[in-house]
Amino acid sequence: MSTPPIRNARAASLPAKLSRTWLLVNAVKPQLFEPAQRSEADSVIFDMEAAVPDEAKDEARDNVVRALSELDPDSGEPQMTAWVRINDVKSKYWEDDLAALNGLPGLRGLMLPNTEAPEQVTWTAMRGGAGVPVLALIETAIGVENATEIARAPGTFRLALGTNDLRKDTGMSDDPLALAYVRSRLVIASRVGGLPGAIDGPSGLGATDQQLRDDCAWTIKMGMAGKLTLSPSFTATINEALAPSEDEQRWARELLLDAEEGAEITDGSYLPRLARARKIQELASSYGLWNA
């Protein structure tokens, strides 16, 4: 009998361009892989970089290769699927990471840390395997300054914000107002580059549910469409907060129903409002909320 894949079926079927939660999992702790796969995280990232000391890099890489290579003997489908946060282009591990991951059946894409130039994404995409998408993680002032060019680079799939390293690089506080410019830059760059919405940085591991909701409110205010997380316990709250609310869905239903019944165009804002209602319907349907 075929063994079903470990990955959460709802999350596995969701296109990564719509992923709200991006769960980072320490690659040196393979015991965390399966719980992450079964979690409600829209996308899972096995982290071989920030969470792994130099002496454990080879071990972490071996863990990831093993996990993403295992196939169901009957269906031939990978038992686990995940994105992988590799080491940055300037590190001595970058080439070995890409050589080991190239062609793995469970690999969904790569996260490139400390992205500072468009060619870094393109090199990574070329060496990572044909068609592999790259999440460009912006963590430095140089990366922020070059965000538009990075967004336009061949291979870039989405932009993500590494808030902790950015704060170390710039001296910024974690106040949302201090980081507003950076978030705006990534949002505008994503739009100019024709990418899905930018991904916000993670909340602290000790964040309360209310703090997490407040953080997500800023994510939405700034126009971002996803959020990194270090804890699977945060995924349900992030998923809810970054999906269309019940009030938004109610408004969209009413507007779409009026449109179906032949409502007249009363002013110049009608068609933009109708487009927004259809977008809300599309997103809510993708997240399993529209007909719930």
Side-chain angles (χ1 to χ4, degrees):
M1 179 180 292
S2 176
T3 304
I6 296 172
R7 186 76 176 104
N8 179 301
R10 178 209 58 81
S13 66
L14 185 71
K17 67 180 181 179
L18 298 179
S19 287
R20 300 157 292 180
T21 41
W22 294 79
L23 174 62
L24 288 152
V25 184
N26 190 334
V28 85
K29 297 181 178 180
Q31 68 272 22
L32 300 179
F33 289 2
E34 186 168 333
Q37 293 281 305
R38 297 190 188 281
S39 76
E40 286 296 324
D42 288 342
S43 287
V44 174
I45 306 170
F46 293 159
D47 185 3
M48 304 196 306
E49 192 243 0
V52 180
D54 285 354
E55 63 271 18
K57 294 292 187 184
D58 291 343
E59 178 187 354
R61 187 188 303 120
D62 289 343
N63 290 339
V64 170
V65 170
R66 190 178 306 112
L68 299 184
S69 296
E70 187 175 350
L71 301 177
D72 175 73
D74 296 320
S75 69
E77 295 295 316
Q79 286 295 296
M80 292 190 185
T81 59
W83 292 69
V84 178
R85 183 185 192 178
I86 60 173
N87 291 280
D88 70 69
V89 171
K90 298 177 183 178
S91 78
K92 62 182 180 180
Y93 307 106
W94 177 74
E95 289 189 14
D96 289 341
D97 288 349
L98 292 175
L101 296 172
N102 192 317
L104 292 184
L107 180 67
R108 294 203 66 182
L110 303 169
M111 170 180 271
L112 181 65
N114 297 313
T115 306
E116 293 187 325
E119 58 267 23
Q120 293 175 339
V121 177
T122 304
W123 294 337
T124 299
M126 291 173 63
R127 292 193 177 215
V132 64
V134 178
L135 276 176
L137 186 61
I138 308 299
E139 303 182 90
T140 65
I142 294 174
V144 173
E145 188 68 15
N146 294 332
T148 301
E149 288 74 21
I150 293 169
R152 287 172 163 165
T156 303
F157 176 67
R158 286 176 78 168
L159 301 182
L161 174 59
T163 46
N164 291 333
D165 281 336
L166 180 74
R167 289 177 55 215
K168 290 177 186 176
D169 186 52
T170 62
M172 291 179 179
S173 77
D174 61 354
D175 188 298
L177 291 178
L179 292 168
Y181 168 75
V182 175
R183 289 186 167 110
S184 294
R185 280 295 302 267
L186 266 61
V187 168
I188 297 300
S190 296
R191 183 72 183 105
V192 172
L195 305 181
I199 300 165
D200 203 359
S203 297
L205 281 173
T208 64
D209 185 71
Q210 187 56 54
Q211 288 171 331
L212 183 58
R213 290 183 183 277
D214 290 344
D215 288 348
C216 288
W218 275 101
T219 299
I220 295 170
K221 287 177 185 177
M222 300 308 301
M224 305 183 96
K227 186 172 176 62
L228 300 174
T229 180
L230 305 175
S231 173
S233 65
F234 288 174
T235 56
T237 297
I238 296 172
N239 282 346
E240 177 188 344
L242 299 190
S245 68
E246 291 185 4
D247 286 344
E248 288 175 317
Q249 292 182 62
R250 187 178 304 111
W251 172 83
R253 289 179 195 279
E254 292 174 356
L255 190 62
L256 291 171
L257 180 60
D258 288 345
E260 289 176 4
E261 295 177 348
E264 295 183 2
I265 298 177
T266 56
D267 54 61
S269 71
Y270 178 78
L271 291 179
R273 285 187 288 118
L274 185 59
R276 172 162 171 73
R278 287 173 175 154
K279 181 64 174 179
I280 290 172
Q281 180 187 33
E282 177 187 355
L283 287 174
S285 296
S286 296
Y287 300 142
L289 304 173
W290 191 254
N291 295 315

